[in-house]
Amino acid sequence: MRDVRIHFAPDVVRWVRERQHYAYVGEHAGSGAGIVMHYQLQDLAEIKPWLLSWGAAAEPLAPDELRAMVRDEAHKLLEILT
């Protein structure tokens, strides 16, 4: 299993809780504003589309591989949109 931590901005926390990913394990208060939610997955690709649906309101904190996947997708979007 892969442990995943994602920081969500305060303005989307309510919505994330209502539309939670099936791999949800728990949450705790993040440093500053927002909340950090924990997930356990077999494959990081399972959560990537759901995570991207939250846009800049969701920051993957761990693992670094997921951060890289989101960064790569953001670069692809930038190329398409500019």
Side-chain angles (χ1 to χ4, degrees):
M1 290 294 249
R2 304 290 305 267
D3 290 319
V4 172
R5 289 184 300 120
I6 302 170
H7 178 266
F8 290 95
D11 58 327
V12 300
V13 169
R14 174 182 175 218
W15 307 114
V16 173
R17 286 180 177 143
E18 289 184 8
R19 296 171 180 90
Q20 196 54 266
H21 191 273
Y22 72 88
Y24 175 76
V25 174
E27 63 185 61
H28 70 271
S31 59
I35 198 157
V36 175
M37 296 193 178
H38 301 258
Y39 304 87
Q40 287 191 335
L41 303 127
Q42 290 293 330
D43 183 0
L44 296 177
E46 296 174 43
I47 202 166
K48 184 178 126 183
W50 180 81
L51 174 58
L52 289 168
S53 75
W54 297 104
E59 177 190 359
L61 302 175
D64 288 338
E65 182 182 349
L66 181 59
R67 288 180 62 85
M69 289 169 68
V70 170
R71 185 174 38 250
D72 291 346
E73 194 70 23
H75 284 268
K76 290 175 190 175
L77 285 168
L78 185 60
E79 287 178 17
I80 291 169
L81 297 172
T82 57

